[in-house]
Amino acid sequence: MRSGYTNDFLPGFFIEMPTPNLAVQGDILQPPGLPEGKVVVPYIHYSLLMSKSTKQALCSAANVDNSKQQTISGAKGRKWFIDDRVGKEHQIINDAYTGTPWDRGHLTRRTAVTWGDYSTALAASNDSCAFTNACMQHENFNEDEWRVPELAVANFNMAKENRLNIMTGPVFTLCDRFFTKGPGFDPVRIPSGFWKTITYVDANSGELITAAYLFFQDIDTLKTKKAKQRIQLRNFRITTTELQLWTGLQFDKQMFDSNPLKFYSGPEAVKVTRLKDLSDPTEALLAAGIAETAVMEEARTLIELDKLYELIDELSWY
């Protein structure tokens, strides 16, 4: 029953789960309850990759069918559990959440996977409450800013057959905070932010479209629970290239080509305000907004991080 995320869920397209790049490959957990070499942990309608160092998921990917949604109350479908396949020692459990301001923040949202017949939806609701699918989210962030992209998924109505691929995960940085309850309690790493992608086939054009979002769990977001009333989701959009650099994950090529915010591909996404060194051909083509497929491929994989940040400083986004 736990078939997990499937790559052929969107009509006419195959979209693979993200895979770790060399920088994070060594941090991917080999779950002791899975066969050797199988690192993707499947659940009902979603799958995830676990980090050894943080004991939290690096990515959770879900198939969502909004046309077959069932209403499952939290009382019936919210039973948090330790996944024995992953091992208790490899996941953050209730000790870190009980009596603290930190919520068990769903990566794949519970109500996103409650679709299909009622029994399947109920089982999926419970399956979403694995501790492996939770990350340390401050209660003010979890109940405020993070609700904005979650509600966008729930209310989405532009997809062919109402089908969506939703991927999400934490962002860990050199500036991460750690939470501890005191002596004898292993410190828990707090994600600096969270990302989410929505990929779908447009019901009118038949084209594949991807939107990527990044929210930081910083001091400003923790001050209030009223931000969701005024923030606009489009202001948190980023390129798939940026997302890849933030996460250390490699995304399906089609998620680059279908994300209209492509700093490397054309005038519809960027406006150049100032040019610096154009001696490098890739940087020159990027800055000019003129890039062929080969150059786009090169930019995704070869551009250095400091050059990317310099380039982003020169761009003004719509």
Side-chain angles (χ1 to χ4, degrees):
M1 193 173 182
R2 283 174 159 172
S3 58
Y5 172 88
T6 58
N7 63 3
D8 60 350
F9 185 72
L10 298 184
F13 292 89
F14 291 82
I15 307 296
E16 301 295 341
M17 269 190 70
T19 57
N21 66 16
L22 292 177
V24 299
Q25 203 168 65
D27 189 43
I28 300 300
L29 176 72
Q30 169 63 68
L34 296 183
E36 186 66 28
K38 300 291 185 181
V39 297
V40 176
V41 188
Y43 296 89
I44 301 174
H45 301 325
Y46 78 100
S47 299
L48 52 78
L49 283 170
M50 291 296 294
S51 160
K52 289 189 291 189
S53 62
T54 68
K55 300 182 181 182
Q56 298 171 75
L58 285 175
C59 171
S60 187
N63 304 127
V64 177
D65 190 334
N66 278 339
S67 69
K68 299 179 180 178
Q69 287 289 340
Q70 300 277 359
T71 299
I72 305 294
S73 72
K76 290 184 177 180
R78 187 187 292 272
K79 300 176 182 177
W80 287 96
F81 67 95
I82 296 170
D83 191 336
D84 292 333
R85 297 173 300 171
V86 173
K88 180 179 179 179
E89 69 276 19
H90 299 302
Q91 50 199 292
I92 306 299
I93 58 175
N94 255 343
D95 289 352
Y97 303 107
T98 304
T100 77
W102 300 100
D103 282 353
R104 294 166 295 204
H106 274 85
L107 293 177
T108 288
R109 194 185 189 200
R110 184 180 69 88
T111 55
V113 292
T114 55
W115 58 269
D117 59 68
Y118 185 84
S119 62
T120 299
L122 176 59
S125 177
N126 283 322
D127 222 24
S128 76
C129 293
F131 282 114
T132 55
N133 187 43
C135 270
M136 299 287 285
Q137 287 188 346
H138 193 278
E139 58 188 5
N140 286 4
F141 177 86
N142 184 35
E143 298 171 20
D144 192 12
E145 286 86 358
W146 194 236
R147 289 290 173 87
V148 176
E150 288 184 331
L151 290 174
V153 172
N155 298 322
F156 206 88
N157 60 7
M158 296 182 290
K160 186 175 182 180
E161 299 182 14
N162 286 310
R163 292 189 166 202
L164 308 168
N165 283 347
I166 307 298
M167 301 179 186
T168 188
V171 172
F172 293 105
T173 72
L174 296 176
C175 301
D176 292 338
R177 294 159 291 173
F178 286 79
F179 172 78
T180 182
K181 286 186 172 181
F185 184 91
D186 289 336
V188 179
R189 191 168 180 175
I190 306 297
S192 288
F194 292 88
W195 58 271
K196 188 180 291 290
T197 65
I198 303 173
T199 302
Y200 64 98
V201 180
D202 185 78
N204 295 318
S205 68
E207 295 182 355
L208 187 73
I209 296 177
T210 294
Y213 304 94
L214 178 61
F215 286 74
F216 286 103
Q217 187 170 231
D218 53 21
I219 293 176
D220 286 340
T221 65
L222 306 187
K223 288 179 178 178
T224 175
K225 291 184 181 179
K226 298 181 179 180
K228 63 178 177 289
Q229 301 171 8
R230 62 179 183 272
I231 64 176
Q232 297 183 355
L233 185 58
R234 66 173 181 267
N235 294 330
F236 294 84
R237 288 192 68 169
I238 61 171
T239 68
T240 309
T241 298
E242 289 174 278
L243 184 57
Q244 184 159 288
L245 289 168
W246 276 111
T247 61
L249 297 170
Q250 295 177 314
F251 290 84
D252 190 296
K253 176 181 180 295
Q254 296 169 97
M255 293 179 67
F256 291 89
D257 298 335
S258 60
N259 187 346
L261 282 181
K262 296 182 288 191
F263 73 85
Y264 47 78
S265 93
E268 79 281 2
V270 303
K271 180 176 67 176
V272 176
T273 57
R274 180 166 56 91
L275 300 180
K276 292 182 180 178
D277 178 18
L278 299 185
S279 60
D280 179 86
T282 297
E283 189 168 350
L285 288 172
L286 296 179
I290 303 170
E292 301 296 333
T293 300
V295 177
M296 291 164 61
E297 292 283 352
E298 182 184 2
R300 294 180 197 135
T301 57
L302 298 183
I303 191 168
E304 296 176 3
L305 189 60
D306 58 347
K307 287 188 176 181
L308 172 64
Y309 289 153
E310 288 179 7
L311 187 58
I312 290 174
D313 285 340
E314 298 177 17
L315 307 179
S316 60
W317 302 91
Y318 287 145

